[in-house]
């Protein structure tokens, strides 16, 4: 398939390069000329294990970068929005999403074939349907579900292992306004034949992303609260406490041969230094804020 990816930040560039690796023709779009020049010369503007190797492997063959969004959308079947959504402490900032959406819509106005617009940026539930879709219709003068599709395809990439996570996903969530949009996205991920693909609506897809991150953040926080309590009470080994919890058969299963299997989730149930990074703090706060705004 021919895919255009708007935004060459962490999610956009990793996704674009990996789409190319699985056999698609990809055009990455960014307003920053210096980033585009770097990418086209085979040098990644960000560091991620294995990214430079894949970039240099596919650049100028099945992968290229440009500042020309109109050309990219016209020359592709599906456009993925992967721009930043910073959080200001109250709400997520949608200015980049809105700007990208308006510019894509202006191209759809003159495009005479069906096109799917997919949000990959992390946005609170309702954003794709209540912000992106109306802007696409308003600025293109066309109708969603007829002239173009609108979907939501959340990413589950961990910094430091993003290439591995993309190439070996544990699930693929395909949100869409209709079956046509979802089928379009399924073609993108057709090479992942043994991976669970969950079809759902856009709002649910958005919520899955926030819920996944919030659950992991909660497990870490819970473990650290227990660790703090153990330290305060004294003479309690917090590591042994959590080890004892992990031995619950509902958490770590005992196989028929007697071997105990501990799922990777238990690594989030160990007292440690807490959580940080670019996703967990932002996503937890954004979900709390979004919940408060809904009463």
């Amino acid at each position: 398939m021919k895919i255009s990816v708007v935004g060459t930040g962490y999610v956009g560039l990793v996704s674009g390069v990996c789409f190319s690796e699985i056999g698609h023709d990809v055009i990455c779009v960014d307003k920053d000329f210096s980033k585009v020049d770097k990418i086209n010369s085979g040098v990644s503007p960000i560091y991620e294990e294995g990214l430079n190797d894949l970039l240099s492997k596919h650049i100028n063959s099945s992968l290229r970068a440009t500042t020309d969004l109109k050309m990219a959308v016209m020359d592709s079947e599906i456009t993925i929005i992967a721009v930043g959504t910073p959080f200001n402490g109250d709400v997520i900032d949608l200015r980049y999403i809105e700007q990208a959406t308006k510019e894509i819509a202006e191209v759809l106005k003159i495009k005479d074939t069906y096109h799917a617009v997919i949000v990959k940026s992390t946005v609170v539930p309702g954003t794709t349907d209540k912000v992106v879709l109306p802007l696409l219709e308003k600025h293109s003068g066309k109708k969603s579900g007829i002239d173009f599709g609108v979907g939501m395809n959340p990413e589950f990439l961990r910094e430091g292992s993003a290439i591995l996570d993309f190439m070996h996903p544990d699930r693929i969530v395909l949100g869409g306004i209709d079956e046509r949009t979802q089928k379009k996205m399924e073609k993108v991920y057709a090479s992942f034949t043994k991976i669970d693909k969950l079809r759902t609506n856009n709002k649910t897809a958005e919520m899955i992303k926030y819920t996944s991150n919030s659950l992991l953040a909660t497990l870490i926080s819970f473990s650290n609260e227990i660790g703090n309590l153990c330290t305060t009470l004294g003479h309690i080994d917090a590591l042994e406490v959590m080890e004892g919890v992990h031995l619950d058969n509902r958490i770590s299963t005992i196989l028929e041969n007697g071997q105990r299997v501990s799922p990777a989730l238990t690594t989030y149930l160990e007292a440690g230094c807490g959580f940080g990074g670019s996703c967990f703090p932002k996503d937890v706060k954004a979900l709390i804020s979004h919940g408060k705004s809904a009463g």
Side-chain angles (χ1 to χ4, degrees):
M1 288 183 71
K2 291 186 175 182
I3 302 171
S4 52
V5 180
V6 181
T8 61
Y10 184 78
V11 173
L13 186 57
V14 168
S15 298
V17 169
C18 288
F19 282 138
S20 182
E21 172 71 4
I22 63 176
H24 299 296
D25 289 322
V26 183
I27 308 173
C28 292
V29 183
D30 202 289
K31 292 181 178 292
D32 189 328
F33 284 92
S34 62
K35 288 179 73 175
V36 167
D37 287 343
K38 263 192 170 184
I39 293 169
N40 283 330
S41 64
V43 178
S44 172
I46 59 173
Y47 176 76
E48 180 61 40
E49 185 71 31
L51 182 57
N52 255 332
D53 292 338
L54 287 184
L55 178 59
S56 58
K57 175 182 176 182
H58 296 291
I59 199 65
N60 297 320
S61 57
S62 61
L63 176 68
R64 56 196 163 111
T66 183
T67 57
D68 189 344
L69 182 139
K70 178 181 177 181
M71 177 275 294
V73 175
M74 291 295 289
D75 197 32
S76 59
E77 307 166 58
I78 184 169
T79 297
I80 293 173
I81 300 176
V83 297
T85 53
F87 181 68
N88 66 8
D90 185 28
V91 294
I92 61 171
D93 187 345
L94 293 177
R95 77 179 84 169
Y96 305 115
I97 289 276
E98 292 172 349
Q99 184 61 36
T101 301
K102 292 174 185 176
E103 293 180 16
I104 292 167
E106 290 295 332
V107 185
L108 295 183
K109 182 189 298 184
I110 60 173
K111 187 166 185 177
D112 57 7
T113 56
Y114 178 87
H115 195 90
V117 179
I118 310 299
V119 178
K120 203 167 187 65
S121 303
T122 300
V123 292
V124 293
T127 303
T128 301
D129 290 338
K130 294 182 179 179
V131 177
V132 174
L133 189 153
L135 285 175
L136 287 171
E137 291 189 329
K138 177 182 177 180
H139 292 274
S140 71
K142 294 185 176 181
K143 185 67 177 173
S144 61
I146 299 174
D147 303 305
F148 61 87
V150 183
M152 207 289 155
N153 173 221
E155 53 84 15
F156 301 98
L157 307 178
R158 297 168 296 172
E159 291 187 18
S161 62
I163 299 293
L164 180 66
D165 291 341
F166 190 103
M167 298 305 297
H168 302 279
D170 42 24
R171 79 281 209 190
I172 296 171
V173 178
L174 306 172
I177 58 171
D178 55 18
E179 187 177 6
R180 189 178 183 184
T181 303
Q182 292 169 342
K183 282 186 175 180
K184 196 83 167 176
M185 281 196 291
E186 281 191 337
K187 284 181 64 179
V188 173
Y189 294 101
S191 61
F192 296 104
T193 56
K194 298 180 180 179
I195 304 301
D196 288 324
K197 298 184 181 76
L198 174 62
R199 277 194 189 190
T200 186
N201 61 43
N202 291 329
K203 200 170 185 179
T204 301
E206 292 162 336
M207 190 64 176
I208 288 171
K209 167 67 175 182
Y210 275 96
T211 304
S212 295
N213 281 359
S214 296
L215 171 63
L216 298 178
T218 300
L219 293 178
I220 294 169
S221 299
F222 169 77
S223 302
N224 285 344
E225 285 300 300
I226 293 298
N228 290 337
L229 182 58
C230 291
T231 300
T232 300
L233 295 175
H235 302 292
I236 301 175
D237 189 322
L239 296 179
E240 290 183 359
V241 168
M242 297 314 293
E243 181 183 357
V245 172
H246 293 174
L247 292 176
D248 187 321
N249 195 39
R250 292 165 296 184
I251 297 175
S252 56
T253 303
I254 300 176
L255 303 179
E256 290 185 359
N257 63 6
Q259 179 185 1
R260 184 178 291 274
V261 179
S262 296
L265 192 68
T266 58
T267 62
Y268 292 86
L269 280 171
E270 295 175 350
C273 62
F275 64 81
S278 60
C279 294
F280 281 11
K282 174 174 79 79
D283 291 353
V284 169
K285 290 176 182 176
L287 187 61
I288 292 170
S289 176
H290 196 55
K292 286 181 178 177
S293 71

